[in-house]
Amino acid sequence: MHKPTILSLAAAALLLPAASSAAAPGAAEWEIGPIIRGRNYSQAMPLRPQPTRTGWRFDFPVGDSPAAGHVHYVTYRPAPIAPGSRIIVRYRVDARAGTRFVPQERPDLPATVSLYFQRRGDNWTARGRYERFRWYAPAATVRQIAPGEHEMIVRLNDPNWISVNSRSAKSDPGAIEAALADIDRIGLVFGSSAARGHGVYATAPARFTLLSFRIEPADQGSRDVG
C-alpha cells in the first residue's frame, strides 16, 4: 500500500479550511448582552451595536446611578479558533473632559474593558462543571476605560487567563483547552477588575467604537473580524 509522504500530507493540508477562517462578522452579528433566561443584563442598551466603516460603536448609558442602564457584554459567535492564537483589539473611547465611567456593581473601582470567551452550553451558574465555562483575559491585559485610542493584545495560551471563579488557566490547563475547543462566544466585557462583566455606565455622553478585532492563529497570517 502506498504511504503518504510528508510533502503529500502538507499539500493536502493546504486544501483544508484553516482554523479561524470564517467570514468576519459585521455589527449585526454582535450581541449586546448577556441574555440569560430571557433577561438582557445590558439595561437601556440596543441588542446590536451600530455599524461603522471599520467595525461598530455604541453609546454608554448616561446617568448618576445604575438606574440609567449599563453595558455588560458585547460578543459574537466565532468560527473554530486555534489554541495558539492571539487576539488583537483596537478601539476608541470618545467623551468630554470630566466624564466618569462607573462600574455599576463596584462604583469604588475604575471601570474596565477586557476580553473573554465562553464554552457552549454554559448555564451561567458558575457552579460545578460550569465553573470553567467562562474565561477572562489576564489581568495585565485589562484596560481602564478612558478617552482616546487603545489596544489590547492577548494570547489564548497565556497561563494567566482566569475562569469565572478566578481559577487560573495554569492551574487547570485542560479546562481552558476544553472551553476553547467548544467555544460559543467571544468578545468584550465591561465592568471592573473585581467583576469583569458586571456593567458600566457613564456620567456624561460617551461612545465606544471598535476599530478592529483580529484573531491571528500561530501558524497563519492575521484575520480581521472587525
Side-chain angles (χ1 to χ4, degrees), residues 137-203:
T141 69
V142 176
R143 297 288 178 263
Q144 185 172 333
I145 301 174
E149 289 194 12
H150 307 273
E151 182 178 71
M152 291 184 284
I153 302 176
V154 188
R155 294 188 177 276
L156 286 168
N157 59 4
D158 189 317
N160 295 308
W161 281 80
I162 59 171
S163 66
V164 66
N165 64 349
S166 299
R167 186 169 183 174
S168 69
K170 62 186 173 186
S171 69
D172 194 355
I176 191 170
E177 290 169 3
L180 185 60
D182 194 24
I183 192 169
D184 181 50
R185 285 198 170 270
I186 192 168
L188 301 171
V189 291
F190 297 80
S192 68
S193 58
R196 294 280 191 90
H198 286 219
V200 169
Y201 63 93
T203 58

Side-chain angles (χ1 to χ4, degrees), residues 67-225:
H70 26 85
V71 57
H72 291 236
Y73 286 57
V74 187
T75 69
Y76 74 94
R77 287 194 161 95
I81 299 174
S85 301
R86 69 174 185 168
I87 306 167
I88 303 175
V89 183
R90 291 182 56 249
Y91 64 92
R92 185 179 70 247
V93 175
D94 295 295
R96 69 191 186 201
T99 300
R100 291 191 306 113
F101 296 92
V102 185
Q104 65 104 6
E105 278 197 4
R106 291 295 306 269
D108 56 312
L109 295 176
T112 63
V113 57
S114 56
L115 282 159
Y116 108 114
F117 71 90
Q118 185 171 10
R119 185 174 178 175
R120 192 179 320 277
D122 189 11
N123 70 357
W124 293 90
T125 64
R127 297 173 184 168
R129 63 191 294 256
Y130 300 107
E131 292 178 0
R132 299 169 185 84
F133 271 50
R134 269 172 282 151
W135 291 88
Y136 298 84
T141 69
V142 176
R143 297 288 178 263
Q144 185 172 333
I145 301 174
E149 289 194 12
H150 307 273
E151 182 178 71
M152 291 184 284
I153 302 176
V154 188
R155 294 188 177 276
L156 286 168
N157 59 4
D158 189 317
N160 295 308
W161 281 80
I162 59 171
S163 66
V164 66
N165 64 349
S166 299
R167 186 169 183 174
S168 69
K170 62 186 173 186
S171 69
D172 194 355
I176 191 170
E177 290 169 3
L180 185 60
D182 194 24
I183 192 169
D184 181 50
R185 285 198 170 270
I186 192 168
L188 301 171
V189 291
F190 297 80
S192 68
S193 58
R196 294 280 191 90
H198 286 219
V200 169
Y201 63 93
T203 58
R207 174 169 290 174
F208 184 98
T209 301
L210 182 74
L211 301 175
S212 65
F213 191 108
R214 301 197 314 274
I215 298 175
E216 296 184 344
D219 57 349
Q220 300 174 40
S222 65
R223 178 174 66 91
D224 195 332
V225 297

Side-chain angles (χ1 to χ4, degrees), residues 1-10 12:
M1 178 183 292
H2 173 70
K3 293 184 178 181
T5 65
I6 292 176
L7 287 177
S8 65
L9 289 173

